[in-house]
Amino acid sequence: AALDSRANILLSRGDCDGCAAVIEEISTHIAGERGRLHWDELTEASSRARLAQARGLWKDAIRELSDGVRLASACGDALWNSRMRLSRSRCFSRIGQYSSAAEDVIQSRLVDRIDVRDTCRYYGALSSFEWLSPSRAGHYLARGLCLARAIPDATLERELLWGSEVPSVQSTHP
């Protein structure tokens, strides 16, 4: 868990190479390990997916997030299921798989309890539907960014901007 946190700190700082090195170190440590907590597996899959998204490797991110959705579903973890689906929706949109993206948004809303960060992710997912209406996409992205800034969560703000093609909204963070 400590290494996964370190990987996420590096990614939050924009150090994709450093994050990748720590993720590789995690893989070495857990090779052949059995009986791991599902929560550890979910956070690590999320970290690998976030790195792939930061690098624009949408299919790699989808693969990691799909593994996470399967595990979260099997363990009855509705919050991680929702979170992973919202991230995966953005990735599906980036590669033009809009029906899969829409299905993930719909499925993500079936959770009874949603926190403000998931609401940011929800607006981020909707903003990736640029093909529907560029002005609406910009509106949704602005909403998600506004909430992320209000929390404040600069990491989530950067995440919402990964792969964004909506030029009218800028981050306040480098």
Side-chain angles (χ1 to χ4, degrees), residues 1-9 11 19 23 26 30 36-51 53 64-65 67-69 71-72 77 79-81 83-84 121 159:
L3 286 174
D4 187 57
S5 294
R6 183 172 172 229
N8 279 289
I9 289 169
L11 187 57
C19 176
I23 286 175
I26 293 169
I30 64 171
R36 299 182 70 233
L37 296 173
H38 83 277
W39 188 82
D40 286 338
E41 292 182 41
L42 288 169
T43 59
E44 291 161 7
S46 176
S47 297
R48 290 188 300 270
R50 290 183 68 241
L51 175 61
Q53 289 174 75
E64 293 292 346
L65 292 164
D67 290 346
V69 166
L71 179 58
D77 194 326
L79 291 175
W80 268 107
N81 188 322
R83 182 172 296 149
M84 297 242 180
R121 289 180 182 98
E159 189 176 313

Side-chain angles (χ1 to χ4, degrees), residues 95-108:
I95 62 170
Q97 292 184 10
Y98 303 116
S99 61
S100 296
E103 179 63 23
D104 269 351
V105 169
I106 292 165
Q107 290 298 315
S108 76

Side-chain angles (χ1 to χ4, degrees), residues 36-137:
R36 299 182 70 233
L37 296 173
H38 83 277
W39 188 82
D40 286 338
E41 292 182 41
L42 288 169
T43 59
E44 291 161 7
S46 176
S47 297
R48 290 188 300 270
R50 290 183 68 241
L51 175 61
Q53 289 174 75
R55 289 181 163 172
L57 303 172
W58 307 114
K59 289 181 181 180
D60 291 349
I62 289 168
R63 186 180 60 254
E64 293 292 346
L65 292 164
S66 295
D67 290 346
V69 166
R70 278 190 290 280
L71 179 58
S73 294
C75 295
D77 194 326
L79 291 175
W80 268 107
N81 188 322
S82 175
R83 182 172 296 149
M84 297 242 180
R85 284 182 181 279
L86 288 169
S87 292
R88 189 173 68 176
S89 173
R90 289 181 62 242
C91 297
F92 277 136
S93 287
R94 298 291 179 237
I95 62 170
Q97 292 184 10
Y98 303 116
S99 61
S100 296
E103 179 63 23
D104 269 351
V105 169
I106 292 165
Q107 290 298 315
S108 76
R109 306 320 292 169
L110 300 177
V111 175
D112 290 335
R113 193 182 121 237
I114 300 170
D115 70 13
V116 70
R117 285 174 177 80
D118 287 338
T119 302
C120 294
R121 289 180 182 98
Y122 170 74
Y123 286 125
L126 292 179
S127 76
S128 68
F129 289 32
E130 293 137 349
W131 54 274
L132 276 177
S133 168
S135 64
R136 275 194 183 164

